[in-house]
Every structure is written in C-alpha cells, then in structure tokens.
Amino acid sequence: MISPEDVTLLPGMTATFVSHLRKPVTDNSFLVPRSAISGGGSDDTAQVWVVDAEAMTVSPRAVKLGPTTDTAVTVIEGLQVGERIVTAGTHLLQDGMPVRFYSVGMLGG
C-alpha cells in the first residue's frame, strides 16, 4: 500500500479508513445496512428477511452480495424493487413469524 507523504503512521498506531463503492449501485442492485444481512456473509450463505406486506410475516431469502462499505452491503441478486426487508433484530426471526412496521414515535419517543 502506498503511504500518503503528509501522513506518518507507525507500528501500533491506528487509523480510520473510509471506503466508497468504486462503481454506482445499478438498477438491479440495492445498498442495504449490514445489519440486514444474516448468515455467513458469503455469496452462498447470505440471506435477508423479506416482509410479506399482505400477511405481515417474514421469510428468509438467499441473496448474492457485491461490494461492501463499513456500514452497508450491495445486494446484487435476490431482491426486487418495492420489497421490504428487516434491518434489525434478524437473529430473533423465524420463518412465517408475524411482524409489524416500526414508525417514529411508536415507542413514545
């Protein structure tokens, strides 16, 4: 890695590195929070929980992942425009579990 001339970084020092996607998210891919991804995180084991808006239940869906940032992951296969996914508490979900949408102020805040 090439070190910037105006920065001195010695062993034992830490730094924050911010990464940006090198190419834009296409019409067929979605940038989702890392917290929405369940499973091992590799292409063959990653999944998201999709909400069935009519039944108000969730089901797991396998997805293929693309580039990542520190807070988000690009889903390049497995999601469609307009689908809603769960972004928090995915470790508590089971297939067919009833859910409801959270809106600001629901918890009295």
Side-chain angles (χ1 to χ4, degrees), residues 1-2 12 17-20 22 26 57 59 67 71-72 85-86 96 103 108:
M1 176 162 55
I2 300 171
F17 176 77
V18 178
S19 176
H20 298 280
R22 291 184 179 219
T26 66
T57 57
S59 59
T71 59
I85 61 170
V86 178
S103 60

Side-chain angles (χ1 to χ4, degrees), residues 19 31-36 68-73:
S19 176
L31 196 60
V32 302
R34 281 183 180 252
S35 60
T68 64
T69 68
D70 56 337
T71 59
V73 178

Side-chain angles (χ1 to χ4, degrees), residues 7-14:
V7 176
T8 302
L9 190 60
L10 302 171
M13 296 175 77
T14 61

Side-chain angles (χ1 to χ4, degrees), residues 35-86:
S35 60
I37 304 297
S38 301
S42 66
D43 289 347
D44 58 346
T45 62
Q47 71 178 22
V48 296
W49 287 88
V50 179
V51 178
D52 178 329
E54 289 183 22
M56 291 306 294
T57 57
V58 292
S59 59
R61 168 102 46 90
V63 292
K64 185 173 181 181
L65 304 179
T68 64
T69 68
D70 56 337
T71 59
V73 178
T74 305
V75 174
I76 57 176
E77 287 181 17
L79 290 177
Q80 301 297 319
V81 172
E83 289 184 311
R84 292 188 179 197
I85 61 170
V86 178

